[in-house]
Each structure stands twice: as C-alpha cells, then as structure tokens.
Amino acid sequence: MASNLEMQRPGAPPVDRHVHLFRTGGTVVQRVGAGSSIWRIDAAHEFSPSVARYPEKLSQEAFYSVAYPLMVLSRRLEERLLELFQKGYVKGTVTISIGNEGTTVGMAMPLRPGRDVVSLLHRDFAAHLLLGSTPYQLACQYLGNVDSPTHGREGNVHHGDAASRRLPMISHLGKMLSLVVGGTWAARRRGEEVFGLAVIGDGGSSTGEFHEAINIASVRKAPVLFLVENNHYAFSTPTSAQYNCRRLSDRARAYGISGRTIDGTDAWAVYSAVWEALDAMCRDPAPAILECVSLRLHGHAAYDQADYVSAEQMRQWRRQDPLPRTRQRFREVGGFSEADTAALEEAVDEEVGRAVAEALEVAPPEPRTHCWKVYADSSPAAVKPLKTPRLKNGSAVNRALDFILANNPDAFLVGLDVGTYGSAFKTCKGLIERFGPERVIDMPLCESGMVGFALGASQVGAQPIVEFQFADFSTEAVSQLGLNAGTWYFRTGCPAPVLLRLPCGGGLTLGAFHSGEYEGLWSRFPGLKLLYPATPQETFEALLAGFYDPNPCLVFEHKLLYWSQDGEIDFDGDLAAVWKPRRYTEGDCLTLVAFGAMIREAISAAARFDRAVEVWNPFVLQPLDASPIIQSAQRTGRLLVVQECGAVQGLGDRVISLVLRQGRIAWKCRPRLIAAPDVPVPFAPQLESHCRPNAERIAAVVKAMLEER
Ligand SMILES: Cc1ncc(C[n+]2csc(CCOP(=O)(O)OP(=O)(O)O)c2C)c(N)n1
Ligand SMILES: [Mg+2]
C-alpha cells in the first residue's frame, strides 16, 4: 500500500542523508543508520492520514516506528508548553497528558482522519498530532494567537477540526460522547463505512451523558468505541469515590455490548485492542467500551502539585511510564541503535523548538479585525410554494415536517414517541408511515443525548430535526444546546444546522413542569436562533426557515394554539422573507407587542378600540430586530408588551429596552409590560387562569394608556 510511511530495506537507494524530523508545516523526513530501516514521512497534513490505518494492521515494527517518534514529540511539546505557561506566555491552564501517551497514540493510529468521527479529551495531545494537527498549530492554540485553530476563541485543549470530523471538546465532560454517536450513525446511514471514537475519563464516566450516549449507540447500533482513559483520578478524586464496580468496562453488560479492560500504558496493546474493536464492529456494527488503565505523571493541570497522590503510587507510576518502555520496543523491533534513537530525539527537540519559536512570533488576535460572527451565513434558497385550505396550527406543523422530509433525503426527525404514536400532540401523525423508522425515530428518553446526537449528525451532512416532548424538558439539554450547539459555529467555523421544536406554554392545566415557554432562557445563549409563530402560516414558515438555516434554530409552538388556532397556509417559498416581525392590525395610538398565545388575546383586546391599536409579534426572537416595532412606536407614542410568562422569564422587557434604547420616541405615556407573576405556573384551572394575562386585562391597560397624554 502506498504510504508516506515507507520502510526501506538495505540495498534500496538512500532517501535523505539528513536527519530532520517534523519540520514546521509538518514535513517529516527521517533516516536512521546505514543499512537499517529508514522511514520517510512527508508534510504532517499528509502524514497523518497516510499512516496505514484500519483495515490494514501495522506490524509491530511499523507501529513502533511511528508510535515512538509521536510519543516523544507529544511529550517534549507538552513539556515546552508547560514551561511557557509557567513563564506566563500560555494563559488559562495546561492539562498534561504526560503518562497517557501510550493510550493516545495507540487509540488514534487505526483511525482514518476525515472519515471516522472522533472526539478527543484534554489528555489526548498525541492523538491530535496523529489525526492532523501540526506541532506549530498546537503551539499556536496554546498561545491563543491568530494562527491557532480557534483563532484565540477557545481555551487550550478545546481544539480539533470539526470539518474533518475531529469534533472539538467542550469543558462539560461527557457532552461530546453523544455527538460521536450521532455523527457515526448519520454517516453510516448515508452509506459510509465509518467508526466512532469517543474518549472519556474515569471521572467523566460518572456523568449522565456517558449513560445516555452509550445507550443511544447501543439501541441504534452505532459502531462507536467508548474509550475510557482510567488514570485513577478525576482531578483529586480517586476512583474509589467515583464508582463502585470492579472495572468500568463491566458496565458494558448493562448496555448489551462488549467491554474490555487493558493496560493503557502499552501502546501496542491499545493499538491492537482498538484495531480489533473496529474489526469486530465491521462485522457487527455495535458500540463497545474499552477501558485503558493509564496514569498521570503530573497533577490534574499545571497548577496542581498532586500532593494527594502518595509517593509510593507516584514511584510505581514512574516505573510504568509508557515512554521508556516504548523506546525500548522501538529499538528492539526496529533494530535501532542507541545513537540512532538519540538522534531521533534530538531532531524532535529541534523541531519542537522551531515550532514553538515560530508560534511565539505570531501576533495575538486583534479585537477590531477579529470575526465575531456567532451565526453561519445563511443564504436561503427559495423552496416550493405551498397553499392549503384552512387548517389548525398542529396540522401546519405536520405539513411542514412532511414537506421537509419529502424534499430532503438527509433530513430525519428524532424525539420521544414521534414514531407510531405520532408524538404527544399528534403533530407527527403519519410521518413514520410515509418516511419509515430510519427517518422518524423514537429515541430513548434522554434530551441532552438526543440534542448531542443531532448536533453530531449535523456535522456529517445530515439535517436533523429534534422534537422536545414539552419545552420544559429542553432544560435537560441546557449545556448541550446552549453551550455546545450554540457556540459551535463560533468555535469551529462549521455550521450546525439543527431544527428544534418546543411545544410550549400554559392554559392546559398541566402544572409547573409542562406549561413553560422558556424563550427567555434560550435567548440567553449566543449562536441560537429563536422563532415563535402564532398562526398556521407562521408555523409553517418558521419550521421551514429554521430547517433551511445553517444554525441551531428553536421553534416555539404554543400547545394551546395547536387546536384552537386555524388559518390557511399560502407560502410563496421565499425563505429570506420569513425572518421579520409580523403585524396583525393597524392603529395610530398604541403599539401592542405580544408573544405566542398572547397574540390572540392582544388582537381580541385591540378589536375593542377602533383602529387605535397596532398588534405585533416579534416572531424572530433571536436575533431580535426591533426596528419595525420601533417605527410603530414612533408613530403611536405608546408601547405595551404582553407575555404569558413571568416578567423576569420572558422577552417583553427586552423588547421595551430595545425600543427605549434604539428609538427616538415622543412618548405619550411610559411603556408597560403585562406578564404573569414570577411564580411557577400553578396547576388548578382557577389559579392558572388567574396568572395568565388575557384580553380583559390587556384591554384595561390599553384603555388606561390611551387616556394618558
Ligand atoms: C461536567 C463537568 N463538571 C466538572 C468539570 C471540571 N473538571 C474538569 S476536568 C475534571 C476531572 C476529570 O477527570 P477524568 O474524567 O477522570 O479525566 P482526567 O482529567 O483524569 O483525564 C473536572 C472535575 C468539568 N469539566 N465538567
Ligand atoms: Mg481520570
């Protein structure tokens, strides 16, 4: 097989008399000793993908000839970064992988960059080098300069290359696992022969997402290897306080999958186990757990002296240090002399020095010229027009989903009970019959994992739609959606096209945990788009606009309106025109802004004042463009905002604030907000209707405001 890793036997023409390794920009040319093996590795970008990967299984000789240089490179570079941290050049912190290189090199070697879906952790430095990062890039990342893969936007270890499926971690441990499951599953669904590698620590294995992700992978048969790096500690907490099973791989049985525990300091053992796991998945696509028992030769991070680790334990760890052991194997199986090996190490040092020196020369990011965009550009193409007779809001949801699934083979819908049952509010009725169970998917009950699954799928070309059964349960996915999906484009430069549907709101006597709207909560996360339609036409438009947008878009569907609101759909297919506030009535005396089910109440109140009140729905709640509302208030001189939720929970105050700050308005009276009291939505019908604003309350305030001059 053609490879940049070329073993050259005695008698073959010499390739390069110079011994220089890992030149910045990645060129690696190495030659050791006359008459022994020589190997040549070209530019690192080329190098990483072209090391022989699965299904080829490297001989020990070929493996060690790559593994040892990589392990030395990783260690020396990290030591240098630690030094730079101590000198104040590197900010944040440095979590050190020293001691873990056997696991990281072994696990990354069989994987195919750009093809397999991978998420690495904060102690996987060498794996980044093997899967595509150059020493220079890594140095830039730690220095947070303009050449860093994240352009200085994100911290030291939160890097990767989402475009080539090396999904960058976020701090929230466990949260990346479900992305690997979604990415792997979705790529397989498109016919790609793909594996996933999802790495987690012993501490991270206690998170809920660990369970959610493995469970989803098992149920959906996603061939993902969950590799647990068990280094005996989570920060300072020993494993005895972390879990109570004998081995973490024992948990595999609970998911009906295979689990194995190996010595993570033995790079060849890790490589072989990962290769074998992939090979098994090739025959039977299912996830597996591989626990690699590793160690940590430093504290948790640069600032931690690890005085909670006993001296005896540390001595034992030092004896197990994978680097000298790999060096020995490298020499034994490769037949390299001590002098050749030392020359290799010296050249690695030189290269680390060169990469770091070059990175230190690079300018820091410049705030004025920095790209601050949190949204991927959307250039919505027109879609087919649609015209329907009168239908209910709930049916408009169904028509929109039908339209999307029929016209986009890469679209799929996940949710709880969205399949045969047709979803809790029947908005998905009939979809599974039309599009099948691989596109209309009943998920296990795990909102965070479900959103992560969708986000991961969106990175391999799929177009996921997520239904939360109730908006209230979206709070289960706050970090996954708000922090991971919301920041995705900003951190990676890659779009994250996921449509999320949130049946929301009260008025159905369902109590505090089934009646929330949560548009206020979700508006607090940069990078998310929010739409809140109120009519069948708006519902159809919002779902299509959100679906075709390349960013995570949340559509709030007020449950009360599913059955009680009807109207025609007459959509001309112009998606760009959808993103604007909606006006329902014209009036000269008062601007009345309402959200969701309050719009109907507002229109009913406005009807009591002859052509005086102009009713608006901001419709696009994030990014919120208040200018049409400001123009209206400039004409009327009065602003009243009505929301169903409590004053601090919704966006009414934000609308008022924007109008006050951005508009030059000759106020005839001060702006007002009508909201529920700031209490949980109460259950009993008498209590709930007492809390919810209604047309009578709105009309009374309108009357009072109109009487003011
Ligand atoms: C959800 C979450 N809680 C807390 C933290 C803070 N934190 C960062 S690393 C760490 C320990 C992780 O231990 P482990 O998973 O064993 O990985 P290791 O650092 O040992 O490689 C903690 C608690 C976090 N990153 N994420
Ligand atoms: Mg640990």
Side-chain angles (χ1 to χ4, degrees):
M1 178 186 159
S3 162
N4 283 355
L5 178 78
E6 291 175 1
M7 305 302 295
Q8 192 166 322
R9 293 291 151 202
V15 173
D16 186 344
R17 298 298 310 174
H18 302 289
V19 178
H20 65 278
L21 294 168
F22 304 107
R23 269 181 50 80
T24 304
T27 308
V28 178
V29 182
Q30 209 235 349
R31 173 184 168 283
V32 181
S36 70
S37 307
I38 82 168
W39 62 94
R40 191 195 68 189
I41 308 171
D42 289 331
H45 285 301
E46 303 302 318
F47 150 62
S48 299
S50 56
V51 174
R53 312 282 182 163
Y54 182 84
E56 193 166 325
K57 182 155 190 212
L58 297 169
S59 65
Q60 285 211 35
E61 191 181 11
F63 173 78
Y64 280 108
S65 71
V66 179
Y68 182 61
L70 255 298
M71 285 170 73
V72 185
L73 174 66
S74 171
R75 184 161 299 193
R76 299 283 163 86
L77 185 54
E78 264 196 315
E79 284 168 345
R80 190 80 177 88
L81 293 171
L82 196 52
E83 198 185 312
L84 289 174
F85 172 78
Q86 278 144 3
K87 289 182 177 162
Y89 290 95
V90 168
K91 304 296 177 198
T93 188
V94 179
T95 45
I96 306 129
S97 68
I98 289 172
N100 197 36
E101 299 98 332
T103 295
T104 54
V105 164
M107 75 187 182
M109 199 87 90
L111 292 155
R112 300 147 315 169
R115 182 162 164 187
D116 295 321
V117 184
V118 174
S119 178
L120 302 173
L121 276 188
H122 50 288
R123 278 184 229 291
D124 295 338
F125 200 70
H128 281 290
L129 287 166
L130 254 164
L131 294 172
S133 292
T134 65
Y136 170 74
Q137 283 173 336
L138 292 179
C140 289
Q141 170 67 15
Y142 276 73
L143 290 164
N145 64 30
V146 281
D147 264 3
S148 84
T150 60
H151 308 289
R153 290 169 182 208
E154 239 305 301
N156 305 337
V157 289
H158 298 161
H159 59 92
D161 181 4
S164 68
R165 302 184 177 179
R166 185 162 33 108
L167 310 178
M169 67 178 284
I170 62 168
S171 284
H172 295 56
L173 293 169
K175 288 297 169 196
M176 294 306 300
L177 302 173
S178 52
L179 275 77
V180 178
V181 178
T184 307
W185 173 85
R188 286 248 162 185
R189 189 172 153 266
R190 290 158 67 101
E192 295 181 45
E193 186 256 21
V194 164
F195 304 109
L197 175 71
V199 187
I200 192 73
D202 46 285
S205 77
S206 298
T207 62
E209 195 94 358
F210 177 80
H211 163 69
E212 293 189 13
I214 301 181
N215 192 44
I216 298 173
S218 177
V219 168
R220 300 237 65 85
K221 294 219 156 295
V224 173
L225 183 61
F226 292 89
L227 191 142
V228 187
E229 293 172 335
N230 188 344
N231 60 7
H232 310 273
Y233 283 91
F235 202 149
S236 70
T237 305
T239 45
S240 57
Q242 200 70 244
Y243 59 86
N244 199 23
C245 46
R246 202 162 61 91
R247 296 183 179 132
L248 283 170
S249 60
D250 290 345
R251 292 181 178 174
R253 285 179 56 202
Y255 301 100
I257 62 175
S258 68
R260 190 176 165 192
T261 296
I262 58 165
D263 176 3
T265 64
D266 181 340
W268 171 253
V270 176
Y271 170 75
S272 302
V274 172
W275 189 93
E276 283 157 22
L278 303 189
D279 209 45
M281 289 173 185
C282 212
R283 294 186 297 276
D284 173 23
I289 296 177
L290 180 65
E291 179 185 18
C292 297
V293 181
S294 185
L295 50 85
R296 224 181 57 186
L297 292 177
H298 275 258
H300 171 69
Y303 46 77
D304 171 24
Q305 301 310 311
D307 38 25
Y308 46 86
V309 178
S310 71
E312 176 45 35
Q313 169 83 90
M314 194 49 94
R315 267 196 297 279
Q316 191 199 325
W317 277 355
R318 292 221 170 88
R319 285 196 294 274
Q320 286 173 264
D321 182 351
L323 198 66
R325 291 165 61 202
T326 310
R327 187 181 197 274
Q328 196 176 335
R329 293 298 294 150
F330 168 79
R331 289 198 49 207
E332 283 166 8
V333 292
F336 299 115
S337 69
E338 177 58 36
D340 289 341
T341 309
L344 163 74
E345 289 154 354
E346 200 179 310
V348 167
D349 279 342
E350 272 174 33
E351 174 48 26
V352 167
R354 194 165 25 237
V356 170
E358 281 186 31
L360 281 167
E361 292 297 309
V362 178
E366 163 59 57
R368 275 174 310 151
T369 54
H370 188 78
C371 173
W372 292 100
K373 273 169 38 179
V374 296
Y375 295 122
D377 287 334
S378 61
S379 45
V383 295
K384 280 190 262 176
L386 185 93
K387 208 168 167 25
T388 68
R390 291 186 83 78
L391 43 66
K392 305 271 187 209
N393 254 18
S395 303
V397 172
N398 192 271
R399 290 299 287 262
L401 295 174
D402 186 86
F403 183 102
I404 290 167
L405 291 167
N407 289 294
N408 300 278
D410 285 324
F412 66 90
L413 170 70
V414 289
L416 311 187
D417 311 298
V418 294
T420 308
Y421 190 73
S423 99
F425 298 97
K426 298 293 178 193
T427 49
C428 300
K429 199 160 177 254
L431 296 177
I432 195 167
E433 285 81 9
R434 257 201 94 185
F435 302 104
E438 285 297 298
R439 297 190 66 202
V440 180
I441 301 167
D442 279 333
M443 290 293 271
L445 200 164
C446 55
E447 282 75 9
S448 182
M450 190 159 73
V451 173
F453 181 87
L455 179 57
S458 78
Q459 296 309 297
V460 302
Q463 296 170 286
I465 306 166
V466 176
E467 179 188 288
F468 291 110
Q469 198 156 66
F470 286 77
D472 310 72
F473 303 124
S474 70
T475 58
E476 294 286 302
V478 165
S479 34
Q480 194 60 275
L481 179 52
L483 301 179
N484 206 356
T487 62
W488 192 261
Y489 175 74
F490 188 70
R491 292 182 293 121
T492 67
C494 292
V498 182
L499 172 66
L500 303 115
R501 299 182 35 237
L502 293 85
C504 68
L508 293 161
T509 61
L510 293 172
F513 303 109
H514 289 74
S515 303
E517 284 177 298
Y518 296 102
E519 79 285 18
L521 170 76
W522 289 113
S523 74
R524 301 301 190 220
F525 296 97
L528 302 180
K529 292 191 178 180
L530 275 55
L531 295 135
Y532 200 171
T535 66
Q537 170 95 21
E538 289 174 8
T539 299
F540 187 81
E541 290 183 4
L543 289 168
L544 259 65
F547 174 81
Y548 286 101
D549 193 272
N551 298 286
C553 290
L554 286 71
V555 175
F556 295 85
E557 301 168 2
H558 201 291
K559 305 190 291 282
L560 202 57
L561 302 179
Y562 276 149
W563 310 280
S564 61
Q565 183 73 37
D566 65 1
E568 294 169 1
I569 298 173
D570 186 2
F571 181 52
D572 61 6
D574 182 358
L575 289 170
V578 170
W579 297 87
K580 59 169 196 294
R582 308 300 164 104
R583 185 177 63 184
Y584 306 102
T585 64
E586 289 182 44
D588 304 323
C589 306
L590 188 141
T591 303
L592 175 49
V593 177
F595 303 86
M598 287 299 113
I599 290 165
R600 234 175 23 179
E601 303 296 324
I603 293 172
S604 157
R608 302 172 199 187
F609 304 88
D610 187 30
R611 291 190 61 77
V613 180
E614 195 154 284
V615 179
W616 285 85
N617 172 8
F619 184 69
V620 182
L621 306 189
Q622 187 75 290
L624 179 56
D625 173 16
S627 44
I629 292 167
I630 292 171
Q631 283 158 21
S632 170
Q634 278 166 339
R635 280 190 292 100
T636 63
R638 294 185 181 87
L639 175 66
L640 172 61
V641 182
V642 187
Q643 69 190 31
E644 178 178 308
C645 57
V648 302
Q649 298 157 35
L651 285 167
D653 268 344
R654 171 130 179 90
V655 170
I656 294 172
S657 159
L658 285 175
V659 177
L660 285 170
R661 288 191 285 120
Q662 295 177 358
R664 279 177 184 279
I665 295 166
W667 292 108
K668 295 181 179 137
C669 65
R670 66 192 158 79
R672 310 272 166 85
L673 173 71
I674 300 179
D678 279 311
V679 297
V681 181
F683 171 61
Q686 299 77 1
L687 299 181
E688 188 185 21
S689 59
H690 175 79
C691 286
R692 296 183 81 234
N694 56 30
E696 279 62 44
R697 265 178 72 190
I698 299 169
V701 178
V702 170
K703 184 165 176 295
M705 288 175 77
L706 291 178
E707 284 166 2
E708 284 185 44
R709 286 272 150 222

